[in-house]
Amino acid sequence: MRPRDVSRLAKLLACRNTKLWDYLDALPIPIGVEPVSLGEGGTPLIRIERIGYGRVYAKFEGTNPTGSFKDRGMTVAVTIARSLRVHGVIVASTGNTAASASAYASRACMSCVVVLPRGKVARGKLSQAILHGAKIIEIEGVFDDALKAVMEFAMKTRMLYPLNSFNPWRLEGQKTIAYEIVSQLGRVPDNIIVPVGNAGNISAIWKGFKELIEWGLINETPRMIGVQASGADPLVRTWESGCDSLIEVSNPKTIATAIRIGRPVNWLKALKAVRESNGLFIRVNDDEILRAQAMLAREGLGVEPASAAAMAGFLKALDQGIVGRDEASVIILTGHCLKDPDAAMAHRFERYIASSKDEAIRMILRIVGGGYEGA
Ligand code: F0G
């Protein structure tokens, strides 16, 4: 699709602080349809200082309205759903899609059903779905089982509008990450590093860059680097095999519950994105994910484990010489640390219990190693 006004888009790319709906010209929204919006996009691009060199940036998607990049897809898909006079929506989710869908459905006065893998959804995400009034079904199994149920239900009954990332409007919203990066950085980076679960986001971001090329607004594209957890790595396995059929993982496991997926629905699109962009897929283990999460936290960036996987993948690519120190890289930090408080609490920390004010002061003095007469 050609945007309604390419010169307007060119102007937007030249300013530094754009938000998702600024890019209306490049979104497939019928004229006159009002967006269902909570102010998504416009997330900060933050230079990572502790790496000690060069141009390594984080696109901090945790600052979206419900705390993850999912809001970009949801604002567009729910806008379309409302224009179709849909009354109810349904999603399968590892958590963030459910949190986002329930918020946007509420905003649009629709009912929302979420199907989640029982016991494997981080508490922050589940609490959002509860708060926004979603009907919650927990399935014994993994995300892939939840998605099968949703797809079959939606196909056979057509009673609820499905909002998973096989819904093309979701990817249309998420592609704006590419636009924002070009506008914030003032150029196209060499590498984009993305954590991959159901594989919608990496495909969407690549679509964004390809469109900018097609419309003559940029003249190069970045390498797309997809990162998966070693216990949930179907795309890395498929990539390594060199074949065109997905190597599924039947019982995916990782601390990064958001990307605990064994049969990504958008696997072929993601494989194409990585191939066309000259990129690659990398796997990282849970220890590497937690170390990267701690490193980002020391930098002031609180992210959930799936987002830290992207950072861990970047560090590995750097270590193996796949990414150069002189290259500009953007790491997509997909979700906020408040999404998964249990993962944060599992990190080592010091905690002291004081039974009175004076004891608290003595403890503070012991920690900072100073003197104070009153204590
Ligand atoms: N990071 C986070 C924080 C996620 O929640 C997800 C996906 C991904 C990365 C991977 O993105 O699926 O487009 O490859 N979460 C989905 C959900 C599956 O249900 O919330 P993807």
Side-chain angles (χ1 to χ4, degrees):
M1 190 199 77
R2 193 168 167 76
R4 287 195 272 271
D5 189 344
V6 178
S7 62
R8 191 169 169 271
L9 275 179
K11 279 192 204 122
L12 280 172
L13 291 185
C15 42
R16 295 281 145 119
N17 55 351
T18 53
K19 286 178 88 84
L20 186 141
W21 285 103
D22 293 334
Y23 295 104
L24 179 61
D25 278 323
L27 296 171
I29 305 293
I31 290 170
V33 168
E34 268 299 298
V36 178
S37 174
L38 294 163
E40 43 296 306
T43 56
L45 188 74
I46 302 166
R47 187 166 164 258
I48 299 183
E49 310 274 348
R50 303 288 158 90
I51 298 267
Y53 69 87
R55 296 163 299 163
V56 183
Y57 300 88
K59 180 76 172 148
F60 190 23
E61 289 290 294
T63 63
N64 273 300
T66 76
S68 85
F69 74 97
K70 301 287 180 182
D71 296 340
R72 293 180 184 269
M74 222 46 88
T75 182
V76 174
V78 172
T79 294
I80 297 280
R82 190 173 65 178
S83 76
L84 298 173
R85 304 195 189 290
V86 161
H87 294 295
V89 295
I90 186 166
V91 286
S93 179
T94 56
N96 280 325
T97 300
S100 185
S102 41
Y104 283 84
S106 290
R107 181 95 183 145
C109 301
M110 294 170 187
S111 65
C112 179
V113 176
V114 303
V115 187
L116 311 172
R118 185 168 138 77
K120 296 289 182 234
V121 173
R123 270 199 300 165
K125 307 173 190 182
L126 189 56
S127 62
Q128 287 177 291
I130 293 169
L131 186 66
H132 292 299
K135 304 273 182 296
I136 300 170
I137 294 169
E138 294 181 280
I139 188 169
E140 296 293 352
V142 294
F143 167 83
D144 307 283
D145 302 305
L147 187 59
K148 263 194 202 159
V150 166
M151 285 174 97
E152 196 172 319
F153 174 84
M155 224 104 80
K156 286 197 176 147
T157 71
R158 304 201 173 265
M159 285 167 67
L160 295 169
Y161 185 78
L163 282 176
N164 278 106
S165 57
F166 55 82
N167 180 321
W169 314 128
R170 287 270 313 280
L171 303 190
E172 289 297 316
Q174 287 170 210
K175 75 184 182 186
T176 57
I177 292 180
Y179 304 168
E180 284 185 20
I181 288 171
V182 173
S183 105
Q184 286 169 307
L185 208 54
R187 57 162 284 187
V188 176
D190 298 293
N191 307 294
I192 301 279
I193 300 97
V194 195
V196 175
N198 217 16
N201 206 28
I202 192 167
S203 316
I205 297 172
W206 179 238
K207 181 174 196 285
F209 280 110
K210 278 209 324 196
E211 286 177 348
L212 294 183
I213 277 270
E214 211 176 292
W215 302 333
L217 296 173
I218 56 173
N219 43 29
E220 56 192 346
T221 51
R223 276 199 299 180
M224 301 300 296
I225 302 181
V227 186
Q228 293 201 296
S230 49
D233 59 349
L235 271 158
V236 191
R237 291 183 197 207
T238 306
W239 168 255
E240 284 170 348
S241 77
C243 297
D244 270 352
S245 52
L246 178 69
I247 301 180
E248 297 178 7
V249 172
S250 57
N251 187 16
K253 285 196 180 85
T254 167
I255 186 167
T257 51
I259 50 172
R260 190 171 168 265
I261 293 175
R263 215 171 34 236
V265 73
N266 290 299
W267 69 271
L268 191 54
K269 277 190 195 146
L271 203 61
K272 277 191 185 152
V274 163
R275 282 192 186 141
E276 280 174 23
S277 72
N278 239 339
L280 70 153
F281 284 100
I282 299 183
R283 69 166 66 73
V284 291
N285 64 35
D286 283 359
D287 285 344
E288 291 168 325
I289 290 174
L290 288 174
R291 275 203 300 276
Q293 189 186 31
M295 188 210 137
L296 285 166
R298 297 292 175 275
E299 185 96 22
L301 291 165
V303 302
E304 65 168 286
S307 313
M311 186 68 207
F314 169 76
L315 292 172
K316 188 169 266 187
L318 195 65
D319 196 45
Q320 295 178 353
I322 295 165
V323 164
R325 281 168 191 267
D326 52 339
E327 293 174 358
S329 297
V330 176
I331 301 158
I332 313 296
L333 299 181
T334 45
H336 201 280
C337 65
L338 291 174
K339 292 285 193 171
D340 193 346
D342 296 317
M345 296 290 284
H347 283 269
R348 277 164 52 97
F349 63 102
E350 290 177 34
R351 180 191 247 173
Y352 309 91
I353 312 289
S355 56
S356 66
K357 176 201 71 174
D358 286 345
E359 199 187 349
I361 292 173
R362 277 196 298 277
M363 281 178 175
I364 299 166
L365 283 171
R366 217 176 303 140
I367 295 166
V368 301
Y372 169 60
E373 293 194 350

